[in-house]
Amino acid sequence: MFQSIRNIYCIGRNYRAHAEELGNAVPDAPMLFGKPTHSLVAMDGGEVMLPGGRGDIHYEAEVVVRISRAYEPGMKVDELIDAYALGLDLTLRDVQSELKKKGHPWLAAKGFLHSAPITGFRPFPGAAALQAETFTLLKNEVVVQRGNTGSMIFDLQTIIDFTARHFGLGEGDILFTGTPEGVGAASDGDRLELKWGNESWGACTVRLSD
Ligand code: ZN
């Protein structure tokens, strides 16, 4: 399922209310980080093994877009993106706080094994149509996050142009586009489910290692 995925880019602090809930400043340019492809795991209803004993693991529900061709300046989002999915940018939040204090890179907090559970991809309806629907994350059947791509600080075109210019962008790259407010900790046994509108796109049960 993930064989064709190349680079995984993630946008941090792309929804105002989420930046504020963590006490972070709203950025004046897109803030990017990456995850290894080994972070990917299917939200296919099964269990996802995550590191236990390393502090809180926060869920961040995000829209994920897939790039279908080599980027060239001037290309529009709707020409470049062929599919989208929903995903979780899982974060070892306590580890991240320590890394931030020390000025260290985020990889240990953001790029650990299975830190990127995602649903299957669906055909991309266009950036404008995307805003007509809301995505939600349910934890144990209770909605904990709700977002709409229309609320992103940096829209898809801005993110894509910025990413391409600084890091390169081509076929098989995917982007996690940021999370709305409501992030929180996942515990062993929690059921996490992502929905597009009323439609369930994927779910998993969290298992923390000893
Ligand atoms: Zn995120």
Side-chain angles (χ1 to χ4, degrees):
M1 171 183 179
F2 305 131
Q3 248 53 39
S4 59
I5 293 179
R6 297 183 66 200
N7 299 293
I8 305 171
Y9 295 116
C10 305
I11 316 300
R13 302 175 196 169
N14 203 23
Y15 288 79
R16 189 170 303 275
H18 167 62
E20 290 170 355
E21 77 181 341
L22 294 183
N24 291 317
V26 174
D28 50 17
M31 203 185 79
L32 267 80
F33 58 92
K35 289 178 186 262
T37 49
H38 302 289
S39 64
L40 294 168
V41 61
M43 290 184 74
D44 58 3
E47 297 189 339
V48 172
M49 282 298 293
L50 298 171
R54 301 188 59 201
D56 281 351
I57 298 178
H58 273 194
Y59 43 78
E60 297 188 358
E62 313 200 358
V63 171
V64 183
V65 295
R66 187 175 73 191
I67 305 299
S68 65
R69 57 197 287 195
Y71 175 91
E72 287 169 33
M75 277 185 172
K76 294 295 166 211
V77 160
D78 291 1
E79 305 173 70
L80 284 160
I81 299 174
D82 72 333
Y84 73 124
L86 294 170
L88 298 173
D89 164 22
L90 296 179
T91 305
L92 282 163
R93 192 69 74 197
D94 297 325
V95 171
Q96 186 190 33
S97 298
E98 281 304 304
L99 296 173
K100 280 184 189 170
K101 269 187 228 160
K102 293 177 182 164
H104 287 180
W106 285 11
L107 184 62
K110 288 285 199 181
F112 57 91
L113 193 64
H114 301 160
S115 60
I118 58 171
T119 71
F121 282 87
R122 312 283 175 112
F124 187 65
L130 210 62
Q131 297 183 13
E133 197 57 272
T134 293
F135 61 97
T136 50
L137 171 65
L138 290 80
K139 182 171 97 166
N140 302 324
E141 299 181 7
V142 175
V143 174
V144 288
Q145 286 192 272
R146 183 185 302 279
N148 182 294
T149 54
S151 303
M152 298 195 308
I153 296 170
F154 301 105
D155 65 13
L156 288 174
Q157 189 72 54
T158 305
I159 291 169
I160 279 176
D161 290 338
F162 184 92
T163 304
R165 184 163 71 247
H166 293 283
F167 308 104
L169 198 63
E171 182 179 358
D173 292 346
I174 63 171
L175 295 100
F176 281 68
T177 57
T179 194
E181 72 273 23
V183 303
S187 306
D188 188 75
D190 278 348
R191 184 76 172 167
L192 300 177
E193 181 181 23
L194 286 166
K195 284 188 176 178
W196 185 256
N198 291 322
E199 188 183 358
S200 180
W201 278 20
C204 65
T205 298
V206 172
R207 281 290 164 233
L208 300 185
S209 63
D210 295 329

